[in-house]
Amino acid sequence: SDNFFLLAGPCAIEGEDMALRIAEQVVTITDKLNIPYIFKGSFKKANRSRIDSFTGIGDEKALKILRKVSETFDVPTVTDIHEISDAEKAAEYVDVLQIPAFLVRQTDLVVAAAKTGKVVNLKKGQFMSPGAMQHAVQKVKDAGSEKAWITDRGTMFGYQDMIVDFRGIPEMREFAPTVLDVTHSLQQPNQTSGVTGGRPDMIGTIARAGIAAGVDGLFIETHFDPANAKSDGANMLDIQYLEKLMTDLTAIRKVINTL
Amino acid sequence: SDNFFLLAGPCAIEGEDMALRIAEQVVTITDKLNIPYIFKGSFKKANRSRIDSFTGIGDEKALKILRKVSETFDVPTVTDIHEISDAEKAAEYVDVLQIPAFLVRQTDLVVAAAKTGKVVNLKKGQFMSPGAMQHAVQKVKDAGSEKAWITDRGTMFGYQDMIVDFRGIPEMREFAPTVLDVTHSLQQPNQTSGVTGGRPDMIGTIARAGIAAGVDGLFIETHFDPANAKSDGANMLDIQYLEKLMTDLTAIRKVINTL
Amino acid sequence: SDNFFLLAGPCAIEGEDMALRIAEQVVTITDKLNIPYIFKGSFKKANRSRIDSFTGIGDEKALKILRKVSETFDVPTVTDIHEISDAEKAAEYVDVLQIPAFLVRQTDLVVAAAKTGKVVNLKKGQFMSPGAMQHAVQKVKDAGSEKAWITDRGTMFGYQDMIVDFRGIPEMREFAPTVLDVTHSLQQPNQTSGVTGGRPDMIGTIARAGIAAGVDGLFIETHFDPANAKSDGANMLDIQYLEKLMTDLTAIRKVINTL
Amino acid sequence: SDNFFLLAGPCAIEGEDMALRIAEQVVTITDKLNIPYIFKGSFKKANRSRIDSFTGIGDEKALKILRKVSETFDVPTVTDIHEISDAEKAAEYVDVLQIPAFLVRQTDLVVAAAKTGKVVNLKKGQFMSPGAMQHAVQKVKDAGSEKAWITDRGTMFGYQDMIVDFRGIPEMREFAPTVLDVTHSLQQPNQTSGVTGGRPDMIGTIARAGIAAGVDGLFIETHFDPANAKSDGANMLDIQYLEKLMTDLTAIRKVINTL
């Protein structure tokens, strides 16, 4: 396919049923539009602002659900890892290991992920320039793997806002295939409540701009009922809007491919 | 036309010959692509970093050249004003009065521009949020005119860089037709040399993203020989690349119009 | 005196009585503490966010009040100018002409101020680096005057916050005597309401840090009743707290002078 | 003592001899000035920009040197931890466990540190507001410990610069004793070279401002030969300047204590 690829799914794996239902919906859409699809779900959440936030249903249980999604729909899967010991464990179940933005400077974690032979999806730190991501990619290469992706999830802009720097897209594509995370790049962190806010009304705008700027892939968290999701509800896309969004973006991509 | 409109021309009017030659080239391209075109040129430069920077060829002389361009090619023109007394003077010669970003908070200047009955193109201050532009537009309305445009020319990001916040496009379009200035939003100010730098290699990326995000118009400074231009050489587009750029953007716009 | 100097007064001259009462209070304090004092008051406000904001009581009337304060208490005065024509006019009445931060890149205004022979107090643009202020100071020098001051009033940090970069104090002191404006550097601009907010609870912290970092002077707006002031109420210091603040800062300054 | 306390030492433990020599020098100074002193040294460096950066001499070896410093000079020690398993290991050797800024959102790491009963020194993320640190402190409390400190090491300002927000000092002191890290808050990250730069000429300015703003402690990396240090040479203070700096800061602190 010469379409963009899509990493999508719920923020956290809340249970088997919800994972399968979300995957089924997304697969239906991406099959129709010829979008290569990777199912996304976190098996644990380790970096919440507050200790009383939801952190998961159990690692093993969540990872097995990821495998079941993969087998059921014949799609690859991606999950994020937080500890060196997570790398091998998660690699048994998924195809892409994602390094969270806060952790992308932790050399041992990146190297551990690279050594599994899986694709390593390196999230750009909110505190990093696009150019600095070349050093993260180089760590994957130095660990013996060529399979690195970069995902932009926005950059700090003052304390309580993030911004996407589209100049970074062509710059990072020099280093590795580059994904735009339209969910987290619209976060508004450091809110007084201790719960991250967001601008989900801007998902379409940022996604369209990303496709026009030449991203290789998109990352979108989606859920049947974002308001009641156990984490990141503020920014997930209600799945009922996904087909229209993917259809529009595919149309833009088609014209971009001809330029 | 349901294409975007274009404000383009040299940074400063350096002379009649160069103005006519640039206008002729742009008109040829925009006629072919059905892009409504407004010729842009500053009749003086009043806010240079250094006192020894080029400031103009004489106000009257430059304004007459703007009128000649308008008459020769039957296109409207735009120029920027810096003093209250500039408003009436420039309004005799041009169709759109532009308020520079640094000056957009100067109420008397905005009101003077509005009272001429010409379109007032309000540049978003580098220090302003998209939302704050509603107050600038309101000043035009309070002065009795409905003819306001907004132009985004980027936002300060640290001392020596600017960034375009594409979330601002739909937000500002709620207030007035919104233009993306791809030239100045790629500036890199506050360089040690006292001469503003830039990222002209990113013009295509930012312009594509802007069209995808739904801008009404684009602002591009262009010149036959940017390296030898008398101001802002660092960011002007070499005119030889303009046709390809406009062609690509028109293709993207066409698909955007269908979504 | 080897104490810091103080620019203080109300944001805007609201009337003769309030100006004289404020000056009297400040003079009493600064005389006791041996702080060289310059009375501050704007004779007009030209850059409000909203057109319905208070803009002044009349230029001539306000300037005459500034002269009366000067004669009554034998103190110099400072006011800000917004148009080239303001320079000569204000220079007849005051000792220091202040260039507002938004306007500090307007060469003609800076030159007009310098040519009056008065001290030119250049406010650092919210969008400028400390280093870039050398070009503003150079414009004063190129206009034939050596009498330039720099005043830091904070730097944009995201859309709705400002921050003081204390590294800039020694850097700007290389160019000219440097003042810290503790009132405006605590502003929080671009609020949805169109009225700038602030953090007046931080005045003491920022002022102490400024004295410790070696500023030559401080700028503080003060009022008997900030909540009912006609402009900038959000950040002015209630004058009842001024004596304690000046006493504390003088104590810090004394030890700084010995290091 | 009512003086500030000091966390100081080399960036990384490069060997026993250098650690003891640095500690001896600092102890001599802090004893004279009545500054409570905690010896600082990293036993490993885990978050270098580039994989070929120095990462340590061996965990056990470095930790034993920390204990030897403690016993030799009767001073407490602090080191930073990067993995959950580091917490218990390091707690056997040191008195304060430091959570690196990049990792301060990793709940499991903070909780593991808190559960050792040692003081947990939480570095404010470069991407966090001062107010958001209350959630990090709360995690320590929720894990059953009251022993949390906060250390400010600056905040991202654009891609390649950091800034210290002194408004954060009184704000964070509401949550826990607050330290200013004058070494890392002067970093200039994301340099093209992959090696972080800095502004060590500003150590005195920032430290003075910090004491004036009321910090409880200071964090300074120091070395006999910063240019040849194995990590962070760009910002470490040459130890020959430490006594003068501490003497000056003690003088400022004395007057602050009287206000």
Side-chain angles (χ1 to χ4, degrees), chain A residues 159-181:
Chain A
Y159 287 129
Q160 300 186 316
D161 203 11
M162 309 199 76
I163 201 164
V164 178
D165 182 358
F166 286 88
R167 300 172 303 179
I169 304 296
E171 190 173 353
M172 293 189 291
R173 292 186 72 218
E174 299 283 318
F175 316 138
T178 297
V179 175
L180 178 59
D181 173 351

Side-chain angles (χ1 to χ4, degrees), chain D residues 109-126:
Chain D
L109 184 65
V110 172
V111 168
K115 288 200 166 151
T116 65
K118 302 288 179 178
V119 175
V120 183
N121 185 24
L122 300 155
K123 287 215 161 177
K124 186 185 83 63
Q126 302 91 325

Side-chain angles (χ1 to χ4, degrees), chain A residues 16-73:
Chain A
E16 183 176 304
D17 185 55
M18 65 85 77
L20 290 170
R21 282 177 60 218
I22 290 173
E24 184 178 31
Q25 286 261 334
V26 183
V27 164
T28 306
I29 296 164
T30 53
D31 275 0
K32 194 186 329 182
L33 296 166
N34 205 19
I35 297 170
Y37 173 45
I38 300 108
F39 178 83
K40 185 268 163 184
S42 293
F43 72 96
K44 65 174 170 183
K45 306 304 299 180
N47 56 359
R48 306 289 89 184
S49 297
R50 294 167 33 157
I51 205 169
D52 57 355
S53 303
F54 173 78
T55 56
I57 60 169
D59 295 0
E60 196 86 359
K61 193 170 166 193
L63 287 166
K64 282 186 175 155
I65 292 171
L66 282 159
R67 178 186 281 164
K68 178 141 188 194
V69 168
S70 177
E71 292 171 351
T72 307
F73 299 103

Side-chain angles (χ1 to χ4, degrees), chain D residues 7-258:
Chain D
L7 288 70
C11 179
I13 300 292
E14 298 171 15
E16 183 176 305
D17 185 55
M18 65 84 77
L20 290 170
R21 281 177 61 218
I22 290 174
E24 184 178 31
Q25 286 262 332
V26 183
V27 164
T28 306
I29 296 164
T30 52
D31 275 1
K32 195 187 328 186
L33 295 167
N34 205 20
I35 297 171
Y37 173 45
I38 300 110
F39 178 84
K40 185 268 161 182
S42 293
F43 73 95
K44 66 174 171 183
K45 306 302 300 180
N47 56 358
R48 305 292 87 185
S49 297
R50 292 166 36 156
I51 206 169
D52 57 355
S53 303
F54 172 79
T55 56
I57 60 170
D59 295 0
E60 196 86 357
K61 194 172 166 193
L63 287 167
K64 281 184 174 158
I65 293 170
L66 281 160
R67 178 187 279 163
K68 179 143 188 193
V69 168
S70 177
E71 291 170 351
T72 307
F73 299 103
D74 194 23
V75 292
T77 56
V78 53
T79 201
D80 40 337
I81 62 172
H82 300 83
E83 292 272 324
I84 291 164
S85 60
D86 289 346
E88 272 201 49
K89 182 165 63 177
E92 287 178 42
Y93 297 90
V94 301
D95 304 281
V96 180
L97 297 176
Q98 182 167 287
I99 308 295
F102 290 146
L103 301 181
V104 74
R105 286 285 297 273
Q106 306 305 311
T107 304
D108 292 349
L109 184 65
V110 172
V111 168
K115 288 200 166 151
T116 65
K118 302 288 179 178
V119 175
V120 183
N121 185 24
L122 300 155
K123 287 215 161 177
K124 186 185 83 63
Q126 302 91 325
F127 43 82
M128 285 174 73
S129 67
M133 286 303 292
Q134 70 185 292
H135 304 298
V137 170
Q138 192 60 45
K139 288 175 184 175
V140 175
K141 291 183 178 171
D142 289 348
S145 169
E146 291 296 314
K147 292 192 260 176
W149 295 347
I150 297 170
T151 294
D152 191 347
R153 46 92 74 246
T155 299
M156 291 309 299
F157 182 63
Y159 287 130
Q160 299 186 317
D161 202 11
M162 309 198 76
I163 201 165
V164 179
D165 182 358
F166 286 89
R167 298 172 303 179
I169 305 296
E171 190 172 354
M172 293 189 291
R173 291 186 74 217
E174 299 282 319
F175 315 139
T178 297
V179 175
L180 178 59
D181 173 351
V182 297
T183 300
H184 295 93
S185 61
L186 288 166
Q187 283 186 330
Q188 297 191 302
N190 291 317
Q191 302 299 312
T192 310
S193 62
V195 177
T196 296
R199 292 286 302 273
D201 56 310
M202 291 292 166
I203 291 174
T205 297
I206 293 299
R208 286 179 179 198
I211 295 296
V215 296
D216 299 284
L218 287 179
F219 177 111
I220 299 179
E221 289 183 355
T222 186
H223 198 276
F224 283 97
D225 186 8
N228 290 306
K230 294 200 173 161
S231 67
D232 265 9
N235 284 295
M236 276 195 280
L237 180 73
D238 190 317
I239 204 165
Q240 67 175 302
Y241 302 118
L242 189 64
E243 181 164 3
K244 166 76 170 125
L245 178 62
M246 290 298 113
T247 305
D248 290 353
L249 298 176
T250 297
I252 299 172
R253 173 70 174 211
K254 266 185 193 145
V255 71
I256 294 291
N257 284 344
T258 68

Side-chain angles (χ1 to χ4, degrees), chain B residues 2-134:
Chain B
D2 58 1
N3 209 344
F4 61 89
F5 60 89
L6 177 68
L7 288 71
C11 178
I13 300 291
E14 299 171 15
E16 183 176 304
D17 185 55
M18 65 84 79
L20 289 169
R21 283 176 60 218
I22 290 174
E24 185 179 31
Q25 286 261 333
V26 182
V27 164
T28 307
I29 295 164
T30 53
D31 275 359
K32 194 185 332 182
L33 295 166
N34 204 20
I35 297 171
Y37 173 46
I38 300 111
F39 179 83
K40 185 268 161 183
S42 293
F43 72 96
K44 66 175 172 185
K45 306 303 299 179
N47 56 359
R48 306 290 88 186
S49 296
R50 294 166 35 155
I51 205 169
D52 58 354
S53 303
F54 172 78
T55 58
I57 60 169
D59 295 1
E60 196 85 359
K61 193 172 167 192
L63 287 167
K64 281 185 175 155
I65 292 171
L66 281 160
R67 178 187 281 163
K68 178 144 189 192
V69 168
S70 178
E71 291 170 353
T72 306
F73 300 104
D74 193 24
V75 292
T77 56
V78 53
T79 201
D80 39 340
I81 62 172
H82 299 81
E83 293 272 325
I84 291 163
S85 59
D86 289 345
E88 272 200 50
K89 182 165 62 176
E92 287 178 41
Y93 296 91
V94 303
D95 304 281
V96 180
L97 297 177
Q98 181 167 289
I99 309 295
F102 290 147
L103 300 181
V104 75
R105 286 285 296 273
Q106 307 305 310
T107 303
D108 292 348
L109 185 65
V110 172
V111 168
K115 287 198 167 154
T116 66
K118 301 288 179 179
V119 175
V120 182
N121 185 23
L122 301 154
K123 287 214 161 176
K124 187 184 83 63
Q126 303 91 325
F127 43 82
M128 284 173 74
S129 65
M133 286 304 291
Q134 71 184 292

